[in-house]
């Protein structure tokens, strides 16, 4: 009987080990055909799936953040649209459609295609109409929560209400020390002159503004390194200190010691001298398969060194990026581009012709 139990145990352990091995995420590369198009499917561990579609000797890349699956060949269908030298591929994958296009010069998004192309296939451009106005800001879209710096505080704009969040005693044209996380905006008490020991934390989810008193006097000659797990990290360049601001517990802790601070790169912490951090203006770094870049006032989506033109507008600044969107400024207009989808005009404010850096904060 003992031998039977032992045999059953061995069989079960072998089966469980096999299942774990089969389901364990691992990198792979697979080539196959869809509608006679060559597809290369890559899974990149802890990142997602990279698909490369080759048509007429042009590679069209699509990257999708997605959990690992033991299944393969995820592309369901590809529809091709062509006019002269313009081509668009509509790719269905994971039950979503992604458009990626090209002309004779470069890869492009659908909205950057010619008027003739868009009309031929009845692709509709987003209709830009002013739906509201507040303090000289034209509002075209209120799907987001906006916090707009007005030199003394913030205007808050959303679909429920437009209001002024806070007003300090004097103008501050730079607003260098406001910082946005996924659901918080943090900024110092600008009523203080040269140092501050009070911060404000605004919780966008419950519209609550709270004060955070700290025991340290922090110089305005400071900058943020980044944020990790509800903590924002700040370096005081003048006093050569690093602080961790805990947004959930509402506390400020000095974490540098004997001239040594912390840096977070590629999901790993390391110690580094505060002097080196400051001299090199170091910030936390986390690389992604895709990102957005500006070249010659043009905004591109970069996927594994493939550059895709995002908009025909000249772009002067990237305001914010999140999981699948980029928010950018063209002249005095704020736009959003949703990954391999569409551009939308959001806001227009004449002040952004002069001052815009760290003046616009957007929350989903």
């Amino acid at each position: 009987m003992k031998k039977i139990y032992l045999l059953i145990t061995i069989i079960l352990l072998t089966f469980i080990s096999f299942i774990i091995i089969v389901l364990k995420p691992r990198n792979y590369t697979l080539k196959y055909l869809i509608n006679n198009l060559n597809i290369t499917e890559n899974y990149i561990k802890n990142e997602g799936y990279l698909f490369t579609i080759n048509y007429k000797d042009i590679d069209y890349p699509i990257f999708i953040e997605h959990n690992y699956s033991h299944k393969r060949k995820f592309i369901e269908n590809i529809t091709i649209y062509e006019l002269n030298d313009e081509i668009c591929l509509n790719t269905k994958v994971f039950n979503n459609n992604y458009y990626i296009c090209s002309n004779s010069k470069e890869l492009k998004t659908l909205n950057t295609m010619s008027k003739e192309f868009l009309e031929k296939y009845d692709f509709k451009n987003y209709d830009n109409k002013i739906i509201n106005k507040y303090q000289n800001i034209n509002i075209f879209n209120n799907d987001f929560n906006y916090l707009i710096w007005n030199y003394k505080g913030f205007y808050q704009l959303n679909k429920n209400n437009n209001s002024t969040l806070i007003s300090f005693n004097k103008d501050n044209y730079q607003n260098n020390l406001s910082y946005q996380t996924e659901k918080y905006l943090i900024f110092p008490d600008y009523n203080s002159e040269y140092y501050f020991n009070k911060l404000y934390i605004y919780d966008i989810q419950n519209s609550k503004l709270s004060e955070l008193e700290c025991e340290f006097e922090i110089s305005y000659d400071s900058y943020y390194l980044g944020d990790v797990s509800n903590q924002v990290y700040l370096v005081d360049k003048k006093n050569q200190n690093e602080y961790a601001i805990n947004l959930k517990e509402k506390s400020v802790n000095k974490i540098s010691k004997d001239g040594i601070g912390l840096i977070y790169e590629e999901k790993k912490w390391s110690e580094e001298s505060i002097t080196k951090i400051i001299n090199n203006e170091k910030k936390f770094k986390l690389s992604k398969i895709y990102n957005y870049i500006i070249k010659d006032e043009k905004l591109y989506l970069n996927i594994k060194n493939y550059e895709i033109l995002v908009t025909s507008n000249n772009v002067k600044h990237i305001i914010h990026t999140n999981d699948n969107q980029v928010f950018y400024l063209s002249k005095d207009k704020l736009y959003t581009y949703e990954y391999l989808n569409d551009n939308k005009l959001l806001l227009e404010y004449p002040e952004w012709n002069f001052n815009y850096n760290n003046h616009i904060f957007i929350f989903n």
Side-chain angles (χ1 to χ4, degrees):
M1 186 64 71
K2 289 183 179 179
K3 289 184 179 180
I4 292 175
Y5 285 139
L6 180 60
L7 180 61
I8 292 172
T9 302
I10 292 171
I11 291 172
L12 283 173
L13 290 174
T14 303
F15 179 73
I16 292 169
S17 299
F18 173 77
I19 294 297
I20 291 172
I21 291 170
V22 168
L23 297 180
K24 183 180 179 181
R26 62 182 186 277
N27 294 343
Y28 74 81
T29 299
L30 178 66
K31 296 181 183 291
Y32 54 96
L33 289 174
I34 293 286
N35 298 348
N36 291 319
L37 300 181
N38 290 309
I39 311 295
T40 302
E41 179 177 301
N42 289 280
Y43 177 74
I44 303 168
K45 192 175 179 180
N46 300 324
E47 298 286 351
Y49 290 88
L50 175 65
F51 304 93
T52 307
I53 305 159
N54 186 273
Y55 179 62
K56 291 189 173 179
D57 295 325
I58 299 173
D59 285 338
Y60 297 85
I62 298 172
F63 176 76
I64 301 173
E65 293 179 353
H66 198 280
N67 291 334
Y68 179 79
S69 172
H70 66 280
K71 295 180 181 179
R72 301 290 186 266
K73 299 183 180 181
F74 290 102
I75 291 183
E76 302 167 43
N77 188 49
I78 300 171
T79 305
I80 301 172
Y81 306 92
E82 291 188 72
L83 178 65
N84 301 323
D85 69 336
E86 293 187 292
I87 301 169
C88 264
L89 305 186
N90 175 11
T91 303
K92 187 174 183 180
V93 55
F94 296 123
N95 295 318
N96 288 312
N97 290 292
Y98 299 92
Y99 287 91
I100 183 165
C101 310
S102 70
N103 61 11
S104 58
K105 296 180 180 178
E106 58 190 348
L107 293 172
K108 309 179 75 176
T109 56
L110 177 60
N111 62 281
T112 62
M113 303 299 275
S114 69
K115 182 180 178 182
E116 292 76 18
F117 183 93
L118 297 174
E119 288 178 350
K120 174 178 172 63
Y121 293 106
D122 199 29
F123 289 119
K124 304 294 185 182
N125 275 329
Y126 185 75
D127 191 17
N128 298 318
K129 291 182 180 179
I130 297 174
I131 60 173
N132 204 347
K133 191 167 186 172
Y134 183 76
Q135 299 290 349
N136 209 28
I137 301 173
N138 290 327
I139 303 169
F140 296 87
N141 181 292
N142 60 6
D143 291 339
F144 304 94
N145 279 297
Y146 308 98
L147 289 168
I148 310 300
W149 184 248
N150 62 21
Y151 304 133
K152 284 190 175 180
F154 294 94
Y155 298 136
Q156 177 169 319
L157 315 176
N158 57 49
K159 63 178 61 177
N160 298 318
N161 185 38
N162 299 324
S163 60
T164 298
L165 176 62
I166 194 170
S167 184
F168 293 109
N169 296 332
K170 59 181 181 178
D171 288 344
N172 183 320
Y173 290 96
Q174 303 305 318
N175 189 37
N176 290 331
L177 288 177
S178 288
Y179 185 85
Q180 174 182 357
T181 68
E182 185 178 354
K183 64 175 184 175
Y184 295 101
L185 181 71
I186 181 171
F187 53 95
D189 177 14
Y190 282 121
N191 286 331
S192 301
E193 286 289 335
Y194 304 107
Y195 296 87
F196 60 90
N197 60 4
K198 181 168 72 175
L199 291 156
Y200 289 94
I201 300 173
Y202 186 66
D203 186 333
I204 199 72
Q205 292 184 336
N206 59 24
S207 301
K208 183 179 179 182
L209 181 67
S210 56
E211 297 181 8
L212 170 56
E213 302 275 357
C214 64
E215 60 181 293
F216 311 101
E217 286 197 329
I218 301 172
S219 165
Y220 281 107
D221 186 16
S222 300
Y223 76 94
Y224 294 102
L225 293 163
D227 62 278
V228 180
S229 302
N230 276 322
Q231 293 208 108
V232 176
Y233 295 80
L234 177 143
V235 167
D236 184 337
K237 296 166 68 176
K238 183 178 179 63
N239 296 310
Q240 297 200 328
N241 290 319
E242 182 178 347
Y243 299 95
I245 305 164
N246 192 309
L247 301 179
K248 197 170 183 180
E249 296 179 1
K250 295 183 174 55
S251 63
V252 180
N253 296 298
K254 180 183 170 185
I255 60 171
S256 54
K257 186 177 180 181
D258 298 327
I260 302 297
L262 294 176
I263 283 290
Y264 187 76
E265 293 182 317
E266 307 305 338
K267 300 181 181 179
K268 293 181 180 179
W269 288 100
S270 62
E271 293 185 342
E272 195 154 327
S273 76
I274 291 291
T275 302
K276 188 174 180 180
I277 291 172
I278 292 171
N279 289 343
N280 294 300
E281 289 275 340
K282 279 204 160 187
K283 293 186 178 183
F284 293 174
K285 186 169 67 175
L286 189 62
S287 62
K288 295 184 69 174
I289 299 298
Y290 71 92
N291 64 338
Y292 294 91
I293 58 173
I294 296 175
K295 291 175 62 175
D296 300 323
E297 295 190 319
K298 295 297 181 184
L299 179 64
Y300 292 91
L301 167 62
N302 184 298
I303 303 178
K304 274 284 187 178
N305 298 320
Y306 291 101
E307 293 181 355
I308 304 164
L309 182 67
V310 166
T311 174
S312 300
N313 296 324
N314 286 346
V315 175
K316 61 184 179 183
H317 192 67
I318 294 172
I319 299 296
H320 178 63
T321 59
N322 60 24
D323 289 340
N324 64 353
Q325 284 182 298
V326 59
F327 299 85
Y328 63 90
L329 208 59
S330 177
K331 296 182 179 178
D332 62 349
K333 294 180 175 63
L334 176 69
Y335 293 84
T336 183
Y337 167 71
E338 188 174 355
Y339 179 74
L340 294 182
N341 198 328
D342 201 4
N343 282 275
K344 293 180 182 179
L345 174 60
L346 304 177
L347 305 174
E348 179 183 32
Y349 189 29
E351 284 297 322
W352 293 335
N353 285 308
F354 313 103
N355 295 292
Y356 54 84
N357 195 22
N358 234 40
H359 284 214
I360 307 166
F361 302 91
I362 306 121
F363 296 85
N364 288 342

